[in-house]
């Protein structure tokens, strides 16, 4: 399709999607009747704030912002949207690294912030039931008040991201928990879900779909399990208004360690060897290979560029836990033994003691999330893309990524070292007992600098292509993921398109987010 | 002629070399605060040494050997065994790495020191350029 044709198609789509002045006014009037005048608006100042975010994703202002207070409210909005052919985009807390809460065409932005309740914590089934705007920090605080048994507090598998981000949205988007190496990935903890479909029908998944069946902590319901279809669907199939997730016990004693490589020239290889060996031993609760730039920003003590040269290139954070000090001591000895064999050593964290240092608090890393403010504040925008891959491939991939960094990102000024260009890698996981993990490329960029916007956009796209070239699986929808991945999937892609056609024949749910309709641009 | 390490002569040579180095002047432009390098006795050194220097905005204003930690005020005290300092002076071990490995302990504003890596890197290079005779190799 030529550029001119695309412009025409796009204009037609907007009109076909029912985005016209009359429809907007009618929908707004009906929403005011149904929800109350306080909970729907087309005020331009409000719309503007939903049309952009901290990512490199391109979005548009919505035409209406609506704030439902319940599943029934969401149903009302969806039925209205279908009646007028108006697109709908769900928004839990709006913190999505792929810009997935930005409308691509316009329509109704469904801000779920009023749905912020923890509905139930069940100590018998070890589950918690939440609404979309319940945030990671809130879950952490609530769950720790409960116990599996005497002296064994409970915790949730909190996503490794901001404490202010939505837990439900992260689980739906197939995010990763901080304790991935121990317990696997977050969708594996989903028990029940309630979804409102594009036609306004409400559907329940999981054991509680059966009337009178209370929370049974298994990941499927009666009959063939359809719930998987809704995970990582990027808002294409409906809106999730309620979710039950498993929670789990937490050992009472924990300690955090930071490891660095003896040989700086082999820091990534040493870190990868260390991670591979550690995770076969079921020793640790949390492991995360960070980067010099993440540490420089996370320390929060000054300009990260100034700090970047003194940080370890590939530091590995580890949290060990156990019933008592003796158990933690035993785990520590084994871990340090593995460190020595793989060319790593334990950093003296006390050397970094300059007062309040959240970064080296176990609960900060495991539960609330390490990216509260400090990681974002370097330039106001933190961007990453990631994949799943065998650990053996990582050093080669990172070598290739640094070539991309050199070409697309680093300044030609000889006084600006590669480190000062502030883009590094992270390893989250790996998955329990195996030698497969995520690999993440991170960068910090200034949205107000047009050159950095260009470079960041190019670099992220090229990084995704690099991942595929090395046989990695792109983790989630990050910047063209659907365009790159889906055409490779053959029958799966056909079924995906048919599913979209069945569930959302009018294509009102977050249109143009993935290439699953013929009019995708 | 090689200068003995540790000694005041060696320290003065380091001071003069740094003051003649434009890279150091630029890298240490923000530095304020005297420091003491406390070289602790070990199997290769029979007593402690205290090297005091007063870097200020890219120049080292003064440097001398002290008899004890209390002889002069210092914003920073870096303490380590002689064998560790020897590897640092030789360039075999980065000072920041030595701190992270607990081989050098720091008293003072660590947050400030972490931002001085460029100055530290120039210092390392200048140290290695001094013709040095280590006291245990006499």
């Amino acid at each position: 399709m030529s550029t001119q044709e695309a412009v025409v198609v796009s204009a037609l789509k907007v009109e076909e999607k029912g985005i016209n002045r009359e429809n907007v006014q009618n929908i707004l009037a009906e929403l005011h009747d149904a929800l109350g005048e306080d909970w729907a608006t087309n005020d331009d100042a409000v719309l503007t704030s939903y049309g952009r975010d901290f990512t490199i994703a391109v979005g548009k202002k919505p035409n209406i912002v609506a704030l439902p207070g319940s599943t029934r409210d969401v149903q009302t909005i969806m039925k209205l949207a279908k009646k007028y052919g108006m697109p709908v985009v769900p928004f839990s807390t709006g913190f999505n690294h792929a810009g997935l809460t930005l409308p691509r065409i316009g329509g109704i932005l469904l801000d779920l912030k009023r749905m912020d309740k923890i509905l139930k914590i069940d100590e018998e089934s070890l589950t918690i039931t939440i609404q979309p705007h319940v945030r990671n920090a809130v879950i952490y605080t609530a769950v720790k008040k409960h116990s599996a048994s005497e002296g064994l507090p409970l915790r949730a598998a909190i996503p490794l991201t901001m404490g202010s981000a939505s837990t439900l949205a992260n689980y739906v988007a197939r995010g990763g928990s901080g304790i991935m190496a121990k317990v696997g990935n977050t969708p594996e903890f989903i028990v029940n879900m309630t979804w409102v479909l594009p036609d306004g029908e409400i559907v329940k998944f999981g054991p509680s779909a059966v009337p009178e069946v209370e929370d049974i902590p298994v990941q499927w319901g009666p009959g063939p399990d359809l719930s998987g279809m809704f995970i990582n669907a990027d808002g294409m199939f409906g809106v999730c208004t309620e979710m039950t997730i498993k929670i789990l016990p937490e050992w009472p004693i924990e300690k955090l360690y930071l490891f660095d490589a003896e040989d700086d020239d082999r820091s990534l290889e040493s870190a990868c060897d260390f991670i591979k060996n550690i995770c076969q031993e079921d020793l640790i609760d949390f492991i995360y290979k960070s980067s010099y730039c993440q540490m420089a920003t996370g320390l929060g003590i000054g300009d990260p560029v100034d700090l970047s040269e003194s940080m370890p290139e590939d530091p590995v954070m580890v949290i060990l836990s156990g019933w008592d000090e003796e158990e933690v001591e035993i785990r520590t000895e084994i871990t340090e033994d593995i460190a020595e064999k793989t060319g790593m050593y334990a950093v003296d964290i006390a050397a970094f003691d300059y007062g309040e240092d959240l970064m080296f608090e176990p609960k900060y890393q495991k539960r609330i999330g390490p990216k509260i403010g400090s990681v974002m504040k370097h330039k106001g925008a933190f961007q990453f893309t990631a994949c799943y891959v065998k650990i053996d491939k990582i050093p080669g991939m990172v070598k290739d990524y640094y070539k991309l960094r050199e070409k697309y990102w680093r300044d030609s000024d000889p006084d600006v070292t590669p480190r000062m260009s502030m883009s590094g890698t992270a390893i989250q996981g790996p998955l329990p007992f195996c030698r497969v993990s995520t690999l993440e490329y991170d960068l910090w960029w200034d949205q107000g600098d047009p050159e950095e916007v260009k470079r960041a956009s190019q670099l992220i796209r090229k990084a995704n292509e690099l991942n595929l070239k090395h046989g990695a699986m792109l983790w989630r929808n990050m910047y063209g993921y659907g365009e790159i991945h889906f055409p490779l999937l053959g029958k799966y892609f056909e079924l995906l398109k048919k599913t979209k056609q069945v569930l959302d024949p009018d294509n009102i749910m977050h249109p143009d987010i993935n290439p699953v309709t013929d009019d995708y641009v | 002629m090689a200068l003995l390490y540790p000694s005041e002569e060696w320290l003065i040579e380091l001071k003069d070399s740094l003051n003649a180095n434009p890279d150091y002047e630029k890298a240490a432009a923000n530095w304020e605060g005297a420091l003491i390098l406390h070289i602790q006795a070990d199997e290769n050194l029979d007593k402690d040494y205290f090297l005091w220097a007063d870097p200020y905005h890219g120049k080292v204003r003064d440097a001398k050997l002290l008899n004890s930690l209390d002889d002069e005020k210092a914003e920073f005290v870096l303490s380590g065994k002689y064998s560790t300092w020897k590897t640092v002076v030789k360039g075999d071990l980065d000072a920041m790495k030595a701190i992270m490995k607990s081989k050098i302990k720091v008293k003072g504003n660590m947050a400030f020191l972490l931002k001085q890596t460029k100055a530290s890197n120039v210092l390392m290079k200048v140290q290695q350029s001094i013709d040095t005779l280590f006291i245990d190799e006499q």
Side-chain angles (χ1 to χ4, degrees):
Chain A
M1 190 185 288
S2 70
T3 305
Q4 276 182 320
E5 286 168 341
V7 167
V8 169
V9 166
S10 180
L12 283 173
K13 279 171 68 170
V14 166
E15 182 55 49
E16 282 166 8
K17 287 285 169 281
I19 300 177
N20 56 59
R21 195 184 302 275
E22 187 184 352
N23 280 351
V24 169
Q25 294 300 331
N26 288 338
I27 291 173
L28 199 57
E30 293 195 51
L31 284 176
H32 283 164
D33 284 340
L35 307 182
E37 288 201 5
D38 286 344
W39 305 122
T41 184
N42 67 341
D43 183 311
D44 211 43
V46 174
L47 302 182
T48 300
S49 66
Y50 288 90
R52 60 192 306 174
D53 66 11
F54 65 93
T55 71
I56 60 168
V58 176
K60 291 202 164 85
K61 287 192 316 190
N63 302 94
I64 294 171
V65 172
L67 278 70
S70 65
T71 300
R72 290 285 168 207
D73 280 354
V74 174
Q75 181 180 49
T76 300
I77 295 167
M78 298 297 281
K79 285 184 174 177
L80 267 176
K82 184 169 170 63
K83 175 180 164 187
Y84 288 96
M86 180 74 74
V88 174
V89 177
F91 175 112
S92 300
T93 51
F95 185 74
N96 185 291
H97 280 289
L100 294 179
T101 60
L102 293 175
R104 296 314 196 247
I105 290 175
I108 303 171
L109 192 292
L110 204 63
D111 186 336
L112 298 159
K113 65 160 58 72
R114 292 172 65 203
M115 299 180 72
D116 61 354
K117 311 225 175 2
I118 294 175
L119 299 173
K120 186 177 173 187
I121 298 178
D122 188 335
E123 285 182 359
E124 292 298 311
S125 63
L126 296 190
T127 57
I128 179 171
T129 302
I130 54 177
Q131 291 185 325
H133 197 74
V134 175
R135 289 152 291 146
N136 296 322
V138 171
I139 285 198
Y140 160 65
T141 309
V143 171
K144 75 171 183 170
K145 293 176 185 166
H146 296 260
S147 302
S149 61
E150 183 68 35
L152 205 56
L154 286 170
R155 62 168 160 182
I158 301 286
L160 194 65
T161 185
M162 308 257 277
S164 56
S166 160
T167 305
L168 181 152
N170 185 281
Y171 274 51
V172 167
R174 207 165 59 198
S177 80
I179 50 174
M180 186 193 290
K182 189 155 186 81
V183 300
N185 229 334
T186 51
E188 295 165 45
F189 282 76
I190 296 173
V191 175
N192 300 313
M193 293 190 289
T194 300
W195 282 77
V196 181
L197 300 181
D199 61 3
E201 291 292 331
I202 296 171
V203 64
K204 288 182 177 288
F205 299 105
S208 295
V210 182
E212 304 302 320
V213 172
E214 292 196 17
D215 299 316
I216 306 292
V218 296
Q219 212 196 346
W220 58 88
D225 184 43
L226 300 176
S227 64
M229 217 163 56
F230 288 73
I231 301 300
N232 206 35
D234 303 331
M236 291 193 295
F237 296 154
V239 181
C240 185
T241 58
E242 200 172 295
M243 180 183 282
T244 302
I245 61 176
K246 295 182 213 174
I247 49 183
L248 55 157
E250 180 159 55
W251 305 124
I253 309 293
E254 57 189 10
K255 286 195 181 156
L256 183 146
Y257 297 89
L258 184 71
F259 289 90
D260 178 30
E262 293 278 2
D263 182 353
D264 288 342
D265 292 335
R266 287 197 76 253
S267 69
L268 182 58
E269 286 83 353
S270 299
C272 286
D273 284 343
F274 178 61
I275 290 169
K276 273 165 51 178
N277 280 275
I278 284 281
C279 292
Q280 294 174 70
E281 303 270 351
D282 192 22
L283 281 170
I284 49 86
D285 218 40
F286 170 100
I287 186 164
Y288 184 79
K289 187 208 83 71
S290 182
S291 64
Y292 71 91
C293 31
Q294 269 200 1
M295 271 196 74
T297 53
L299 283 175
I301 56 172
D303 188 338
V305 176
D306 289 340
L307 292 167
S308 61
E309 297 288 339
S310 60
M311 295 290 110
E313 179 80 25
D314 297 291
V316 181
M317 223 173 270
V318 169
I319 297 175
L320 304 174
S321 60
W323 263 118
D324 52 33
E325 296 277 357
E326 189 184 349
E327 182 179 346
V328 172
E329 189 57 41
I330 293 169
R331 289 174 183 271
T332 303
E333 280 176 24
I334 302 172
T335 302
E336 287 183 348
D337 189 50
I338 293 174
E340 193 180 350
K341 286 179 181 150
T342 54
M344 304 287 281
Y345 71 92
V347 172
D348 178 14
I349 294 178
F352 293 90
D353 181 10
Y354 44 83
E356 289 178 25
D357 183 13
L358 287 177
M359 191 162 186
F360 297 121
E361 283 287 323
K363 71 176 181 192
Y364 178 60
Q365 292 295 339
K366 274 169 58 182
R367 303 187 187 93
I368 299 175
K371 295 178 186 171
I372 299 174
S374 61
V375 169
M376 299 290 273
K377 77 179 183 187
H378 171 43
K379 286 189 177 181
F382 164 74
Q383 193 66 80
F384 79 89
T385 189
C387 61
Y388 282 99
V389 70
K390 287 187 178 176
I391 294 177
D392 278 344
K393 291 193 174 189
I394 288 175
M397 290 172 72
V398 170
K399 200 171 154 188
D400 281 351
Y401 176 72
Y402 282 161
K403 289 180 191 168
L404 291 179
R405 182 181 73 176
E406 195 69 16
K407 178 174 177 179
Y408 290 101
W409 188 243
R410 185 184 156 207
D411 201 275
S412 60
D413 181 346
D415 284 339
V416 175
T417 64
R419 275 203 174 204
M420 290 165 71
S421 64
M422 294 293 290
S423 176
T425 64
I427 294 175
Q428 186 178 339
L431 297 168
F433 291 107
C434 67
R435 277 81 67 201
V436 172
S437 79
T438 68
L439 169 64
E440 175 183 315
Y441 311 115
D442 300 329
L443 65 148
W444 286 256
W445 60 292
D446 179 0
Q447 288 178 303
D449 182 337
E451 282 304 306
E452 289 210 356
V453 173
K454 281 195 289 189
R455 290 187 202 178
S457 304
Q458 289 250 36
L459 183 57
I460 291 289
R461 181 76 183 214
K462 288 288 180 185
N464 279 337
E465 290 169 359
L466 184 158
N467 287 335
L468 281 176
K469 179 182 141 194
H470 283 273
M473 187 187 93
L474 299 184
W475 184 353
R476 291 166 15 206
N477 190 343
M478 295 286 205
Y479 313 107
Y481 155 105
E483 292 171 6
I484 298 170
H485 250 165
F486 290 179
L488 303 174
L489 302 179
K491 188 69 181 176
Y492 184 109
F493 190 21
E494 286 175 38
L495 286 174
L496 197 57
K497 286 191 269 192
K498 284 181 184 169
T499 305
K500 175 68 170 172
Q501 180 63 26
V502 166
L503 287 177
D504 186 17
D506 300 320
N507 192 21
I508 61 167
M509 277 310 306
H510 216 340
D512 250 23
I513 198 73
N514 273 312
V516 293
T517 54
D518 291 338
D519 62 351
Y520 174 83
V521 175
Chain B
M1 182 177 147
L3 296 171
L4 196 67
Y5 177 90
S7 70
E8 188 159 280
E9 290 75 21
W10 186 92
L11 183 61
I12 300 296
E13 175 65 23
L14 178 64
K15 173 178 87 77
D16 293 341
S17 300
L18 288 172
N19 284 340
N21 190 308
D23 290 339
Y24 175 76
E25 186 172 8
K26 188 177 169 187
N30 293 327
W31 190 295
E32 290 181 9
L35 70 155
I36 295 174
L37 305 184
H38 176 191
I39 304 168
Q40 294 167 325
D42 64 11
E43 64 276 7
N44 294 316
L45 190 71
D46 59 1
K47 64 172 186 169
D48 288 13
Y49 281 74
F50 307 93
L51 307 185
W52 177 89
D54 183 20
Y56 186 80
H57 290 193
K59 294 289 183 190
V60 182
R61 294 190 288 198
D62 196 6
K64 57 187 171 186
L65 202 63
L66 305 178
N67 291 317
S68 79
L69 279 173
D70 300 322
D71 285 359
E72 284 285 354
K73 282 187 184 168
E75 277 72 24
F76 307 98
V77 178
L78 280 66
S79 305
K81 297 283 183 196
Y82 168 71
S83 51
T84 297
W85 284 114
K86 185 176 172 182
T87 56
V88 170
V89 170
K90 279 181 156 184
D92 294 336
L93 179 64
D94 179 72
M96 182 52 62
K97 203 83 157 180
I99 292 171
M100 288 201 291
K101 287 184 164 191
S102 301
K103 293 191 171 186
I104 292 178
K105 296 286 186 188
V106 174
K107 280 188 190 166
N109 187 339
M110 186 66 188
F112 175 81
L113 285 181
L114 283 172
K115 291 181 246 185
Q116 303 305 319
T117 309
K118 286 182 198 166
S120 169
N121 289 344
V122 174
L123 176 75
M124 292 278 289
K125 283 187 186 155
V126 169
Q127 276 182 157
Q128 288 165 49
S129 72
I130 297 173
D131 188 10
T132 302
L133 173 62
F134 292 96
I135 199 166
D136 62 314
E137 292 177 7
Q138 290 183 103

